Amino acid sequence: MADQIPLYPVRSAAVATASHRRAAYYSAAGPGPGADRRGRYQLEDESAHLDEMPLMMSEEGFENDESDYHTLPRARITRRKRGLEWFVCGGWKFLCTSCCDWLINVCQRKKELKARTVWLGCPEKCEEKHPRNSIKNQKYNVFTFIPGVLYEQFKFFLNLYFLVVSCSQFVPALKIGYLYTYWAPLGFVLAVTIAREAIDEFRRFQRDKEMNSQLYSKLTVRGKVQVKSSDIQVGDLIIVEKNQRIPSDMVFLRTSEKAGSCFIRTDQLDGETDWKLKVAVSCTQRLPALGDLFSISAYVYAQKPQLDIHSFEGTFTREDSDPPIHESLSIENTLWASTVVASGTVIGVVIYTGKETRSVMNTSNPKNKAIIFKWMFRSNFEDCSNRLSPPQVGLLDLELNQLTKALFLALVVLSVVMVTLQGFAGPWYRNLFRFLLLFSYIIPISLRVNLDMGKAAYGWMIMKDENIPGTVVRTSTIPEELGRLVYLLTDKTGTLTQNEMVFKRLHLGTVSYGTDTMDEIHSHILHSHSQIHSQPSGHNPSSAPPKRSQSSTPKVKKSVSSRIHEAVKAIALCHNVTPVYEARAGITGETEFAEADQDFSDENRTYQASSPDEVALVRWTESVGLTLVSRDLASMQLKTPTGQILTYCILQMFPFTSESKRMGIIVRDESTAEITFYMKGADVAMSTIVQYNDWLEEECGNMAREGLRTLVVAKRTLTEEQYQDFESRYSQAKLSIHDRTLKVAAVVESLEREMELLCLTGVEDQLQADVRPTLEMLRNAGIKIWMLTGDKLETATCIAKSSHLVSRTQDIHIFRPVTSRGEAHLELNAFRRKHDCALVISGDSLEVCLRYYEHELVELACQCPAVVCCRCSPTQKAHIVTLLRQHTRKRTCAIGDGGNDVSMIQAADCGIGIEGKEGKQASLAADFSITQFRHIGRLLMVHGRNSYKRSAALGQFVMHRGLIISTMQAVFSSVFYFASVPLYQGFLMVGYATIYTMFPVFSLVLDQDVKPEMAILYPELYKDLTKGRSLSFKTFLIWVLISIYQGGILMYGALLLFEAEFVHVVAISFTALILTELLMVALTIRTWHWLMVVAEFLSLGCYVASLAFLNEYFGIGRVSFGAFLDVAFITTVTFLWKVSAITVVSCLPLYVLKYLKRKLSPPSYSKLSS
């Protein structure tokens, strides 16, 4: 990484100094008790010593002594701000936040979570009151709705300012116009907001009601009763049917499945689409009948509710037996809420409800991403009692809010100057307030209305875009965020990939088979099994000795047919796949299904496993003739192409782990009594285990470059004596108390020697359509992409390569697993030496690094072209998003498709959900919902660009419209001896911001600087948007200067050219003002649309028509100045040429300047648009 980045220690030098003093004190104590004490402290200081040790500052640190981080050079220590400096530089904000949090905590009195004892079927025996199992997402109730909505509106400076101005008109001394000129716009904004919030609230109420009204069967002493989901209590016995959602966290007591286990789908909880096997408590599963659950006295002791969805500790105790039965409970005995039963019917006892369930605890509170119109789309599983996060607003709205404050400052300064020039005569404070009201149009209320209408228009355009069908805008208040994104955080499974594994390649060393030559493998398998089948059955007993002799002489060359047969058989046996068969229609109820009641035909079979790779391999063996037909804990059966059933006894299983990167199985062929040890795993782990060969490494590299996930398959034939010896050592290792894991691994490794290499397989996880070009487009647009997944490290790395998230020329730095501060320290220094490489890090290592070196890790990771975080929990994903936002201050976007992505989506500035196989939960919780990942390209490059550019232009033009009329008012008051008299009355002011100029100004939402095709073809244009140049203080000051120039020209021009007809000055200046505004819109537009032309002429027509009806408004200062509009006068040629002259002088110089600027310093997009 960049060497210039300092990596600071976490704790201050003061702590380290104290540690040295303490150590020095004990060393001075000399021999005796003090010396012993010093030894103890020395160990503690090893960790503390890291506080004063910086992460590496330069390469020299490693050259001096790479093994010892104590010798690294000392880093600069940041000086902490103290006293008044700290208070001024943000300390006051911290204090206010802390006080508010303390008050909220005191008011809520959050209950401490505790472990619990739950008696089966006896909710009344619960010692404590537990939360209701209801879902409540409503923000308000009947009494808090109006106050709540009004508070949300008036906590923003802009709206509060207009409320104060409008209320001031009730004071006679301050009244300067008609009440409706102030209250009508404000009332319109509030009416629209309240109506929209009411619709939202009603929708939330309907969704909650639907979820809470789902019916479940509850088991009671009197039998089954129907109960609503919201009425379920801790201790209830609930029956959940197949394909039904589990309503609360339960312990699995009983199932209709014969094996005492069932499968559940967890995609809405952890994002993994493969089914999970759950095991019923053996004590309750063995009971003869369902009603016997009430005849026993039993309880479950469960740990306190917590976040971790992958672990559980508890015990099941049956008291009425002699002796009492105690069974330990683990994660495989639980059924978490929001998962779905995939096979059989299950009965469970409820242990956690409502906000104490795992799914709710893993769902972070969404942020309010709105300013005035709030599309609050919240997770189904959020409880209303959770404290709402502070409101989050769009970046453009924040920038406009800052500009509004600057305008308010200008308004106050201008008013004070006018009063000062008056000489503070008379009741000057009243005059000051009247000037504040006169110049209040500097901050236009129409800004809010126009922007919100514009956002609604952008949302409508996105949803109507035929190139991205099915896109839904759920948060209509932040479309501009799509044009400002710097970081995109994406899920893997179902977002980048389809999660559909396809077997692509089988390599035997000398020959390779692809998808187009699979029929050859099928014919080889058919041939070899036909030969075996035709041999006499008496051959079987004598087949073991020849096998042993064959394994002792491996140099005997095998035919291709026999090698294929061995390889396919190994793939068909070495896995953890279980075939599942659907029950016949009409077979229901609690009784166990007999095998005769199930259909074992090929069409009715589905495979379930912990990994989709495994299923792909077994499906492939079925396609070439060797079919897995049944499996239990002790055996499995294969069907050959000739219809023969081969039975294998499972002697041992060694599951896949991230550390070992391989899995193994020992099976005995029941027909030949032959014992074989099969193993498959990653090439890194297997290359040292298999016999020497010269092709494995090269072929693995070739397949990896094609984006295939490789597995090396090997076998070793064991004699009965070898196996018995292994089994006794293995059992002994499993019973050891100390270093059990290491001893077990050592025994297994004793078998993993000189194994016969059978084949290399290549499986492809099919990517979503156009993922590669989309990711490349986003990268070219300057967006940094992070992949956050719950999947294994190897899988995530493989997809990062195949999807071109990591380009072929880039190195990948795999962050080694770290568990302590010292390891994290060393590994971060090692990572810092790498340049321009992608980072792959696991969730556990990330947790350790963030605990000690949060700032350093984020700063280094942000410089990587791509980052892959694997084994991430839902809350970790959200935490990473939050960290990125806080550390970089850049806009982030999160995209996912599963329930486990909801927290991440809601934590980001902009959340995008994909409607996919994992349900609609992510789509409903997101701000934007799309149907395919590739649609994100057009969504950002075209709609994001247009929304930001248009809103920036619209906001600044509306401000210009208010500034120009305020400048004219200032000039008018100056001429009339600084009198606080309004220039334009009543309807003229309302009409100016509405019917006279609204349509042309609002038509800017149709403007575009670059055609959509160009924006997609040249994504580099997007980089300019993230710099925020379209709306900045520089562009704002330019518009202020334009407004002052034009306002001055219009007013002074009217006074100079119309000295003879001075009474007509209102009509003259107002007409010139309207024409100037219409011309300025025309000068601002870059691409004309027919509706823009209509808007221009419609507004001009409305003004001309209104001259005949509104003549009483064109007198100066109402009747006091006399003289109304003379219709005959405005039709004269003199009037027309003079108005035209004023308008030309106000607009022509600006057009010339704009033309010269485009010629001399054209913007980046101008070459493309030409």
Side-chain angles (χ1 to χ4, degrees):
M1 288 309 128
D3 288 298
Q4 67 271 20
I5 293 182
L7 294 164
Y8 306 125
V10 176
R11 284 157 54 180
S12 67
V15 180
T17 312
S19 303
H20 278 304
R21 283 179 192 153
R22 188 174 59 199
Y25 169 77
Y26 283 112
S27 62
D36 293 336
R37 220 177 304 173
R38 183 202 174 279
R40 193 181 79 226
Y41 272 103
Q42 191 172 23
L43 289 172
E44 290 179 7
D45 286 345
E46 285 299 313
S47 173
H49 198 58
L50 283 166
D51 292 334
E52 53 176 345
M53 283 298 119
L55 294 178
M56 191 178 77
M57 294 297 295
S58 66
E59 298 286 343
E60 287 78 32
F62 268 91
E63 287 163 11
N64 295 337
D65 186 356
E66 277 196 62
S67 62
D68 190 1
Y69 47 76
H70 290 256
T71 62
L72 295 176
R74 184 177 291 273
R76 289 186 293 110
I77 305 231
T78 49
R79 184 175 68 85
R80 296 184 73 174
K81 297 182 176 74
R82 297 188 180 279
L84 185 63
E85 186 186 1
W86 173 82
F87 186 80
V88 171
C89 296
W92 63 272
K93 197 179 288 184
F94 172 75
L95 286 174
C96 292
T97 309
S98 303
C99 291
C100 291
D101 286 343
W102 178 79
L103 280 170
I104 287 166
N105 288 332
V106 167
C107 294
Q108 285 189 338
R109 290 177 187 170
K110 206 169 184 180
K111 192 181 76 172
E112 187 185 350
L113 300 174
K114 294 178 183 175
R116 60 195 60 185
T117 300
V118 181
W119 290 85
L120 268 58
C122 303
E124 65 280 356
K125 283 192 181 181
C126 287
E127 297 161 7
E128 290 189 18
K129 192 178 178 184
H130 300 294
R132 283 190 72 215
N133 198 46
S134 61
I135 294 157
K136 193 169 183 184
N137 291 319
Q138 288 168 259
K139 276 182 68 185
Y140 311 104
N141 58 35
V142 177
F143 302 106
T144 60
F145 178 72
I146 295 295
V149 173
L150 291 179
Y151 168 74
E152 286 293 334
Q153 300 317 303
F154 294 123
K155 71 180 180 183
F156 291 102
F157 176 78
L158 191 69
N159 296 353
L160 185 64
Y161 167 75
F162 285 118
L163 180 67
V164 172
V165 168
S166 301
C167 289
S168 71
Q169 293 306 288
F170 289 113
V171 181
L174 302 176
K175 189 174 181 183
I176 57 169
Y178 297 107
L179 277 176
Y180 69 81
T181 60
Y182 292 92
W183 280 100
L186 188 64
F188 173 73
V189 172
L190 289 178
V192 171
T193 304
I194 291 170
R196 197 159 182 176
E197 195 65 51
I199 293 167
D200 255 6
E201 192 69 3
F202 182 68
R203 284 177 181 166
R204 282 195 286 268
F205 167 74
Q206 283 186 316
R207 280 203 307 274
D208 292 346
K209 190 177 178 182
E210 184 185 339
M211 293 296 289
N212 292 327
S213 300
Q214 286 182 354
L215 294 176
Y216 290 88
S217 296
K218 174 181 165 182
L219 207 60
T220 64
V221 182
R222 297 182 301 277
K224 294 179 188 177
V225 293
Q226 292 289 303
V227 62
K228 287 182 180 178
S229 172
S230 57
D231 295 332
I232 290 172
Q233 296 175 306
V234 171
D236 282 344
L237 296 177
I238 302 296
I239 301 170
V240 187
E241 304 289 343
K242 184 180 175 182
N243 293 326
Q244 203 173 11
R245 182 181 72 88
I246 294 170
S248 55
D249 288 357
M250 305 196 294
V251 166
F252 184 16
L253 298 178
R254 197 172 167 83
T255 177
S256 60
E257 295 289 290
K258 181 181 169 185
S261 61
C262 77
F263 284 103
I264 61 165
R265 294 199 295 270
T266 62
D267 47 14
Q268 291 301 318
L269 187 67
D270 60 12
E272 295 182 13
T273 51
D274 46 279
W275 294 2
K276 305 290 186 300
L277 187 70
K278 296 291 177 178
V279 181
V281 176
S282 58
C283 178
T284 48
Q285 179 66 24
R286 285 197 303 265
L287 294 173
L290 192 57
D292 292 338
L293 285 169
F294 287 97
S295 65
I296 63 170
S297 175
Y299 64 84
V300 169
Y301 175 79
Q303 65 181 156
K304 69 177 184 180
Q306 58 182 28
L307 281 168
D308 192 358
I309 58 174
H310 299 298
S311 70
F312 174 75
E313 290 176 10
T315 54
F316 174 87
T317 305
R318 181 177 175 181
E319 285 190 328
D320 58 350
S321 62
D322 190 21
I325 297 171
H326 297 283
E327 242 183 273
S328 69
L329 301 177
S330 65
I331 187 67
E332 66 178 11
N333 305 116
T334 58
L335 302 167
W336 296 145
S338 307
T339 58
V340 177
V341 177
S343 64
T345 302
V346 304
I347 296 94
V349 59
V350 176
I351 53 171
Y352 308 123
T353 52
K355 60 184 177 184
E356 291 181 348
T357 59
R358 292 292 203 271
S359 59
V360 173
M361 294 180 84
N362 273 284
T363 304
S364 60
N365 295 330
K367 288 181 170 53
N368 176 5
K369 300 185 180 179
I371 297 179
I372 275 204
F373 297 153
K374 296 196 302 300
W375 274 134
M376 286 290 291
F377 245 88
R378 302 167 66 186
S379 165
N380 284 335
F381 306 105
E382 187 191 344
D383 192 274
C384 69
S385 62
N386 290 340
R387 181 162 60 89
L388 281 173
S389 303
Q392 174 200 356
V393 296
L395 186 58
L396 183 105
D397 294 304
L398 287 173
E399 289 167 345
L400 283 170
N401 204 40
Q402 293 298 324
L403 296 181
T404 305
K405 289 174 184 175
L407 288 174
F408 178 72
L409 191 66
L411 163 67
V412 173
V413 170
L414 183 60
S415 303
V416 170
V417 168
M418 297 301 269
V419 172
T420 306
L421 292 172
Q422 266 187 338
F424 293 98
W428 63 270
Y429 51 87
R430 192 180 70 185
N431 288 338
L432 176 65
F433 207 94
R434 283 178 65 86
F435 274 123
L436 285 171
L437 294 171
L438 277 177
F439 300 140
S440 65
Y441 279 92
I442 284 180
I443 306 172
I445 192 169
S446 54
L447 175 65
R448 187 74 270 138
V449 180
N450 276 284
L451 282 177
D452 286 325
M453 286 168 59
K455 289 174 183 193
Y458 308 144
W460 183 82
M461 289 174 195
I462 290 170
M463 290 194 281
K464 291 294 178 185
D465 190 340
E466 293 177 358
N467 294 294
I468 47 173
T471 303
V472 179
V473 178
R474 301 197 190 280
T475 305
S476 58
T477 52
I478 55 166
E480 302 89 1
E481 295 291 276
L482 294 170
R484 310 287 295 276
L485 302 176
V486 178
Y487 289 97
L488 176 72
L489 299 102
T490 173
D491 179 39
K492 178 189 75 70
T493 310
T495 303
L496 296 179
T497 69
Q498 298 178 27
N499 204 32
E500 287 181 5
M501 306 295 171
V502 179
F503 191 95
K504 287 285 186 181
R505 187 74 51 84
L506 179 75
H507 205 292
L508 300 175
T510 54
V511 60
S512 174
Y513 295 94
T515 46
D516 51 345
T517 52
M518 291 300 175
D519 52 338
E520 289 183 33
I521 296 177
H522 187 271
S523 59
H524 281 301
I525 296 290
L526 186 62
H527 174 68
S528 60
H529 278 288
S530 300
Q531 281 187 328
I532 293 169
H533 193 55
S534 63
Q535 286 174 354
S537 57
H539 173 75
N540 290 344
S542 60
S543 60
K547 285 283 179 187
R548 281 202 297 274
S549 64
Q550 188 184 6
S551 64
S552 61
T553 56
K555 291 182 181 177
V556 175
K557 186 124 178 124
K558 292 183 182 177
S559 67
V560 172
S561 186
S562 66
R563 285 166 63 201
I564 288 174
H565 176 234
E566 284 293 335
V568 173
K569 187 168 77 169
I571 295 168
L573 289 171
C574 187
H575 53 71
N576 60 7
V577 180
T578 307
V580 178
Y581 297 89
E582 294 291 327
R584 282 183 188 167
I587 306 294
T588 55
E590 167 61 13
T591 57
E592 286 84 357
F593 300 129
E595 285 190 23
D597 292 329
Q598 286 186 283
D599 181 5
F600 282 92
S601 63
D602 289 351
E603 297 79 26
N604 196 40
R605 185 190 309 110
T606 55
Y607 295 113
Q608 289 306 326
S610 60
S611 166
D613 302 56
E614 300 270 74
V615 177
L617 292 170
V618 173
R619 280 206 182 118
W620 175 77
T621 62
E622 181 185 355
S623 70
V624 295
L626 207 55
T627 308
L628 176 69
V629 288
S630 74
R631 179 183 182 142
D632 55 34
L633 296 174
S635 67
M636 69 173 90
Q637 291 183 322
L638 302 179
K639 188 170 78 174
T640 66
T642 56
Q644 184 186 4
I645 300 291
L646 305 175
T647 305
Y648 294 87
C649 181
I650 301 171
L651 301 176
Q652 298 290 348
M653 271 284 294
F654 313 112
F656 180 92
T657 64
S658 296
E659 292 75 36
S660 68
K661 295 184 174 60
R662 55 188 180 271
M663 73 152 294
I665 188 170
I666 300 178
V667 295
R668 178 189 278 123
D669 186 343
E670 291 203 349
S671 62
T672 63
E674 180 187 273
I675 299 173
T676 313
F677 172 39
Y678 290 107
M679 178 160 275
K680 70 177 180 195
D683 55 303
V684 185
M686 297 292 289
S687 56
T688 55
I689 294 169
V690 297
Q691 295 167 351
Y692 173 77
N693 61 84
D694 56 0
W695 60 272
L696 182 61
E697 188 180 347
E698 183 185 349
E699 287 305 323
C700 281
N702 292 340
M703 287 194 191
R705 278 188 285 278
E706 292 178 41
L708 301 180
R709 296 153 71 142
T710 55
L711 281 174
V712 180
V713 184
K715 78 162 190 173
R716 181 181 173 187
T717 307
L718 303 176
T719 62
E720 189 67 38
E721 297 78 32
Q722 284 174 325
Y723 175 69
Q724 292 302 333
D725 173 55
F726 165 78
E727 190 182 32
S728 64
R729 288 186 294 121
Y730 188 64
S731 303
Q732 197 175 349
K734 285 206 290 186
L735 290 171
S736 61
I737 298 167
H738 302 294
D739 300 325
R740 181 186 297 178
T741 312
L742 290 171
K743 288 177 181 175
V744 167
V747 173
V748 175
E749 279 175 22
S750 68
L751 277 186
E752 299 170 347
R753 288 175 187 162
E754 289 296 302
M755 296 188 72
E756 182 188 343
L757 174 58
L758 295 177
C759 64
L760 175 67
T761 64
V763 175
E764 182 184 44
D765 185 357
Q766 291 192 314
L767 296 171
Q768 294 271 8
D770 294 334
V771 159
R772 291 187 185 112
T774 303
L775 287 176
E776 189 178 353
M777 180 198 295
L778 296 173
R779 247 201 320 274
N780 291 339
I783 296 172
K784 291 188 176 180
I785 303 158
W786 289 32
M787 186 168 84
L788 313 180
T789 175
D791 223 326
K792 297 192 289 286
L793 186 140
E794 295 78 16
T795 313
T797 309
C798 189
I799 293 299
K801 288 177 182 173
S802 64
S803 65
H804 296 176
L805 175 71
V806 178
S807 65
R808 292 182 180 182
T809 55
Q810 279 170 355
D811 291 330
I812 293 180
H813 177 81
I814 296 177
F815 205 90
R816 285 187 303 145
V818 295
T819 53
S820 67
R821 185 170 187 172
E823 290 175 2
H825 191 105
L826 283 172
E827 190 58 27
L828 275 171
N829 277 341
F831 171 45
R832 204 176 168 282
R833 298 167 67 197
K834 301 289 181 73
H835 294 269
D836 190 41
C837 69
L839 171 65
V840 179
I841 186 169
S842 69
D844 295 336
S845 301
L846 185 75
E847 197 73 37
V848 174
C849 291
L850 292 179
R851 192 180 306 141
Y852 301 113
Y853 299 109
E854 181 182 289
H855 176 76
E856 291 83 353
L857 178 69
V858 176
E859 197 159 353
L860 284 174
C862 286
Q863 294 181 53
C864 295
V867 176
V868 177
C869 298
C870 53
R871 287 290 177 206
C872 281
S873 67
T875 42
Q876 271 183 326
K877 288 183 179 183
H879 185 48
I880 292 166
V881 175
T882 309
L883 277 177
L884 264 182
R885 289 180 59 204
Q886 289 172 350
H887 280 268
T888 63
R889 302 287 175 189
K890 305 285 187 188
R891 306 319 271 178
T892 57
C893 173
I895 178 168
D897 70 319
N900 64 319
D901 300 317
V902 169
S903 296
M904 170 177 78
I905 284 169
Q906 291 177 331
D909 296 297
C910 174
I912 299 176
I914 297 179
E915 271 190 40
K917 294 178 181 176
E918 297 187 20
K920 289 189 176 184
Q921 200 175 346
S923 155
L924 290 171
D927 305 309
F928 303 91
S929 169
I930 57 179
T931 54
Q932 293 181 48
F933 181 81
R934 64 193 173 111
H935 291 169
I936 197 175
R938 187 175 178 87
L939 191 65
L940 302 190
M941 299 303 119
V942 177
H943 294 289
R945 178 186 188 84
N946 288 343
S947 299
Y948 171 58
K949 286 268 190 180
R950 289 165 176 174
S951 281
L954 184 63
Q956 290 176 125
F957 206 95
V958 171
M959 285 182 177
H960 157 75
R961 194 169 63 183
L963 278 165
I964 191 171
I965 203 164
S966 296
T967 305
M968 292 175 74
Q969 176 68 56
V971 173
F972 175 76
S973 293
S974 305
V975 171
F976 282 94
Y977 307 102
F978 308 104
S980 55
V981 177
L983 171 60
Y984 302 124
Q985 287 293 329
F987 189 80
L988 287 188
M989 291 306 292
V990 176
Y992 172 65
T994 53
I995 61 166
Y996 296 155
T997 60
M998 185 181 77
F999 298 118
V1001 171
F1002 187 70
S1003 71
L1004 289 171
V1005 301
L1006 300 169
D1007 191 21
Q1008 61 181 30
D1009 56 348
V1010 176
K1011 289 181 180 177
E1013 299 77 25
M1014 285 294 174
I1016 291 171
L1017 190 60
Y1018 298 98
E1020 291 79 8
L1021 292 171
Y1022 189 87
K1023 289 180 186 177
D1024 289 342
L1025 304 181
T1026 57
K1027 296 169 186 172
R1029 289 175 178 168
S1030 297
L1031 178 67
S1032 62
F1033 269 101
K1034 181 186 172 184
T1035 58
F1036 170 67
L1037 285 172
I1038 290 170
W1039 275 106
V1040 169
L1041 293 173
I1042 289 171
S1043 305
I1044 292 170
Y1045 166 75
Q1046 289 188 324
I1049 290 292
L1050 290 172
M1051 203 63 226
Y1052 279 117
L1055 295 172
L1056 285 171
L1057 294 177
F1058 289 92
E1059 287 179 8
E1061 305 92 357
F1062 191 70
V1063 288
H1064 298 303
V1065 75
V1066 172
I1068 295 158
S1069 60
F1070 197 77
T1071 306
L1073 173 65
I1074 297 297
L1075 290 174
T1076 299
E1077 281 298 295
L1078 296 180
L1079 274 174
M1080 282 301 291
V1081 172
L1083 289 177
T1084 307
I1085 289 169
R1086 287 162 292 206
T1087 308
W1088 281 89
H1089 188 280
W1090 66 270
L1091 281 172
M1092 294 173 170
V1093 180
V1094 171
E1096 290 270 334
F1097 284 106
L1098 180 67
S1099 296
L1100 188 61
C1102 285
Y1103 177 67
V1104 172
S1106 66
L1107 288 175
F1109 304 106
L1110 301 173
N1111 58 349
E1112 73 272 15
Y1113 287 113
F1114 285 96
I1116 305 172
R1118 294 192 197 153
V1119 189
S1120 57
F1121 282 82
F1124 292 112
L1125 178 68
D1126 185 356
V1127 178
F1129 166 70
I1130 63 166
T1131 53
T1132 61
V1133 176
T1134 309
F1135 172 83
L1136 294 174
W1137 83 256
K1138 287 184 176 180
V1139 167
S1140 303
I1142 294 170
T1143 308
V1144 168
V1145 172
S1146 71
C1147 293
L1148 188 62
L1150 298 176
Y1151 178 77
V1152 172
L1153 286 172
K1154 185 180 177 181
Y1155 177 79
L1156 289 173
K1157 185 176 182 295
R1158 279 187 72 91
K1159 282 290 178 187
L1160 300 173
S1161 175
S1164 56
Y1165 59 82
S1166 61
K1167 296 170 186 174
L1168 302 177
S1169 54
S1170 62

